[in-house]
Amino acid sequence: MRKGYMLVEVVVVIFVLMMVSAAFDRFWGTFAFDLPRDSRLIQENTTLTNAVSHIRADVASAQTLSQAGGDSNEPNTLLVELSNGVVSYKLIDGRIIRSFAGNDDGDMVWPVPHGMIEWQVWSKGKTGYAVEIRTCIEDRNFGQAQKKMANSNLFFAGALWEAAE
């Protein structure tokens, strides 16, 4: 009776383990890298969608719409005048900030560090009647930036739409 393994048996076991680990390498890579990254993208897209739904609700009851900023000193700002005050939306340092001038309860903030949001007010004359909102999440994969989950929305301001027609 022998007490050990032959060198050939040990080499065969090591070779088989290498083949099995190579086969499961992509599987483990998915769990280690892709799932956490995809989870972050989905969470940021959900946050961005929540902010856009607040914008939609404000625009639906707007009396006037305007867009301020555009220079390097002030960020692009969406101004929505409601019957009880003015709501402003800004994208600053990876956060969407909603400020309401008629209420001192504080600002609403949505953190979207990799999110992009752009708005453009559609107007007829000096009266804004709709706002187009484009959103996406910037993802860096292997050093290259990619835009993921891009959306475009168009919201019309309540009675202003009828006046524009």
Side-chain angles (χ1 to χ4, degrees):
M1 186 179 266
R2 61 182 202 188
K3 294 184 173 185
Y5 298 103
M6 293 177 61
L7 181 60
V8 172
E9 292 172 332
V10 172
V11 168
V12 167
V13 168
I14 290 173
F15 180 75
V16 168
L17 285 175
M18 284 178 20
M19 289 297 155
V20 169
S21 66
F24 284 108
D25 181 51
R26 181 66 187 143
F27 178 74
W28 297 118
T30 298
F31 279 113
F33 300 107
D34 293 343
L35 288 179
R37 181 177 51 96
D38 290 346
S39 175
R40 176 188 55 82
L41 288 173
I42 291 169
Q43 184 177 8
E44 283 193 34
N45 189 53
T46 302
T47 303
L48 205 54
T49 303
N50 187 13
V52 169
S53 70
H54 275 78
I55 294 171
R56 178 190 48 80
D58 286 338
V59 168
S61 58
Q63 293 181 341
T64 62
L65 294 172
S66 63
Q67 187 170 345
D71 60 351
S72 60
N73 294 336
E74 185 177 330
N76 192 12
T77 303
L78 175 65
L79 299 172
V80 181
E81 185 179 335
L82 304 174
S83 60
N84 57 349
V86 176
V87 176
S88 69
Y89 287 93
K90 297 179 183 180
L91 178 64
I92 302 174
D93 298 328
R95 298 174 301 147
I96 300 171
I97 301 172
R98 177 188 186 264
S99 302
F100 188 46
N103 191 349
D104 294 331
D105 289 343
D107 299 340
M108 292 182 75
V109 178
W110 294 274
V112 284
H114 302 97
M116 302 286 293
I117 185 167
E118 298 173 343
W119 39 70
Q120 180 179 359
V121 174
W122 291 15
S123 59
K124 191 169 193 177
K126 293 190 176 202
T127 304
Y129 63 90
V131 62
E132 179 182 3
I133 300 174
R134 292 176 301 278
T135 62
C136 70
I137 305 293
E138 267 194 6
D139 182 34
R140 290 208 168 271
N141 197 7
F142 300 113
Q144 295 182 356
Q146 299 174 341
K147 292 185 177 182
K148 303 272 185 163
M149 299 181 188
N151 292 308
S152 182
N153 300 288
L154 181 61
F155 302 121
F156 292 96
L160 294 175
W161 172 244
E162 295 169 7
E165 289 183 325

